[in-house]
Amino acid sequence: MTSHTSAATLRVALLPRTGLLTDAVLLAGGAGLIAASAQVSFGHPVPITGQTFAVLLVGASLGTVRGGASALLYVLLGLVTPIYAGHGEGWDVITGASGGYLVSYPFVSALTGWLAEHRWDRRFSSAIGAMLTGNVVIYLFGLPWLAAVLNTNLEKTLELGLYKFVPGDTLKLYLAAAALPGAWRLVGAAKRRTGR
């Protein structure tokens, strides 16, 4: 079942008119969600966290510009406050083994926002495609960065930066892909009840 609303994103469906203050709150809320999802983390040199789930959802919910800006805000705030995984902060984290993953977040959030604006978030099957695309882009940034920082060969790079993430990332992308169409159904039902 798909949503019948013509809104481009969930943000537009719920808040069709926004001003500067509302946008600031949305960006801060998205950055806060990404930061909160980073605080449960384990493993080294690249920790396993819930960040990818949050980055994908923020992008899909807020759209290209606001989603990308929200993830960028998170990355920038982490340079001066301990909101990265494991309460990390600063250039040492960005230039470290996990820096490529962090740098990818604004691009990935903007990409999933763009896909959502093109209705990829309305059905489970297309939402999986959007979330999988976002995950692939995260790895395209993260793995070469990890290899360059740690001077690892391909096998070691994949061991440290890919294999251990696949089960969790698969679960997270399925959860995100289920949450988005579900949210659209709720929005549609609410609009039918209110006649708007």
Side-chain angles (χ1 to χ4, degrees), residues 93-94 96-105 137-138 141-143 145-146:
V93 177
I94 293 290
S98 61
Y101 298 89
L102 289 167
V103 169
S104 77
Y105 291 165
V137 173
I138 290 171
F141 276 77
L143 291 172
W145 193 296
L146 172 68

Side-chain angles (χ1 to χ4, degrees), residues 76-109:
L76 293 176
L77 286 174
L79 294 174
V80 294
T81 57
I83 59 172
Y84 294 149
H87 305 290
E89 70 175 291
W91 282 110
D92 288 347
V93 177
I94 293 290
T95 58
S98 61
Y101 298 89
L102 289 167
V103 169
S104 77
Y105 291 165
F107 298 98
V108 169
S109 198

Side-chain angles (χ1 to χ4, degrees), residues 15 18 27 35 44-45 62 96 100 102 110 118 123 131 133 144 153 158 162 168 176 185 191:
L15 298 168
T18 62
L27 296 185
H44 291 285
L62 298 183
L102 289 167
H118 289 81
R123 293 185 9 222
M131 301 302 108
T133 301
N153 61 25
L158 295 177
L162 175 66
R185 282 193 290 276
K191 287 191 178 295

Side-chain angles (χ1 to χ4, degrees), residues 26-64:
L26 289 170
L27 296 185
L33 179 63
I34 297 169
S37 69
Q39 300 317 306
V40 177
S41 68
F42 58 94
H44 291 285
V46 180
I48 296 173
T49 70
Q51 284 175 290
T52 53
F53 179 75
V55 167
L56 296 170
L57 277 184
V58 166
S61 300
L62 298 183
T64 306

